[in-house]
Amino acid sequence: MKKCILLILCILSLAVELDAQSIALLKYRGGGDWYANPTSLPNLVQFCNRQLGMNLDRNVPTVEVGSPEIFNYPFVHMTGHGNILFSEEETRNLRTYLLAGGFLHIDDNYGLRTAAVREMKKVFPELDFVELPFSHPIFHQKYDFPNGLPKIHEHDAKPPQAFGLIWEGRLVCLFTYECDLGDGWEDYAVHRDPEELRQKALKMGANILQYVFTR
């Protein structure tokens, strides 16, 4: 009974928090470096506050996949290079969060695709990732990206792709692949990317957050 009450309260909390402008970094098990790109989200928040007039909290907390705290954040970001592992309880919690209106952005920092696709299939066994067309609204918010995701880091020299899990017409999970937006959001000293490239990454990130907070 206590678990049911807690779940109901969490769902109601999410409905209220959808207007509260705060985002979180997702901590997962399995050995992958979920903590990669530590300066990326604070920099993206600062960019969105300055350029989009948003009021995001620059203190970006970490939230675990199975925690009820995840329902406090309309947007959670997951990144890394290695393995991901969701338990049954974490799988149920993440599914409930996404069905209740939450949004998950998975940014492949190189080598994350196999584990991300496998674990999200546990969350939504009835869904497959589909590639988003360039006409999708996420590419046409404050900033226009007529050719889809920008290419930030080369890695395998493959074209950047955006994949999504769509539940009843709603994009609940965005997977950015061969793009590495998070590296472009980091402090200049980390990767020393040209400013033009960093701006492309920040603008695409701003589009994602604007899409989530205004849909």
Side-chain angles (χ1 to χ4, degrees):
M1 176 62 75
K2 287 183 178 179
K3 287 185 177 180
C4 292
I5 294 174
L6 179 60
L7 180 58
I8 292 171
L9 289 175
C10 286
I11 294 174
L12 291 175
S13 174
L14 176 61
V16 172
E17 290 292 334
L18 284 174
D19 289 330
Q21 297 190 321
S22 55
I23 65 176
L25 174 66
L26 193 67
K27 178 180 179 180
Y28 53 86
R29 299 178 305 108
D33 53 342
W34 58 267
Y35 45 82
N37 299 346
T39 64
S40 64
L41 290 178
N43 286 342
L44 177 61
V45 164
Q46 184 179 41
F47 181 86
C48 290
N49 287 346
R50 184 174 64 247
Q51 300 298 330
L52 274 62
M54 300 180 75
N55 187 30
L56 295 169
D57 187 350
R58 196 176 178 196
N59 178 28
V60 179
T62 297
V63 63
E64 297 188 7
V65 182
S67 171
E69 293 298 317
I70 197 173
F71 291 86
N72 292 327
Y73 306 101
F75 174 97
V76 291
H77 174 84
M78 181 166 72
T79 190
H81 300 81
N83 192 39
I84 303 167
L85 182 63
F86 296 158
S87 68
E88 289 186 12
E89 182 178 349
E90 289 170 336
T91 298
R92 288 193 298 269
N93 195 58
L94 184 56
R95 180 182 175 93
T96 303
Y97 163 76
L98 294 172
L99 292 182
F103 188 94
L104 172 63
H105 173 216
I106 306 173
D107 188 41
D108 185 6
N109 205 356
Y110 194 57
L112 199 67
R113 181 174 183 172
T114 298
V117 171
R118 182 193 67 227
E119 295 306 294
M120 290 308 297
K121 191 64 175 178
K122 289 160 59 175
V123 179
F124 286 102
E126 67 272 58
L127 299 180
D128 294 312
F129 277 104
V130 296
E131 186 167 5
L132 302 182
F134 295 163
S135 60
H136 193 278
I138 209 163
F139 300 121
H140 307 283
Q141 297 292 308
K142 167 72 172 180
Y143 304 103
D144 192 43
F145 287 86
N147 298 314
L149 292 174
K151 183 75 171 179
I152 306 304
H153 279 188
E154 286 299 326
H155 295 312
D156 291 330
K158 296 177 182 178
Q161 294 175 281
F163 298 95
L165 290 177
I166 301 174
W167 174 265
E168 296 183 350
R170 182 172 67 88
L171 180 64
V172 296
C173 176
L174 171 69
F175 177 50
T176 46
Y177 176 65
E178 283 291 332
C179 172
D180 220 337
L181 288 173
D183 277 4
W185 301 341
E186 284 229 85
D187 288 348
Y188 171 77
V190 178
H191 298 288
R192 298 190 179 278
D193 289 325
E195 184 59 24
E196 180 182 2
L197 203 61
R198 294 185 72 246
Q199 287 296 311
K200 287 181 179 179
L202 288 165
K203 288 177 179 179
M204 186 63 231
N207 270 15
I208 295 171
L209 286 181
Q210 188 175 47
Y211 174 83
V212 171
F213 280 94
T214 60
R215 61 190 171 136

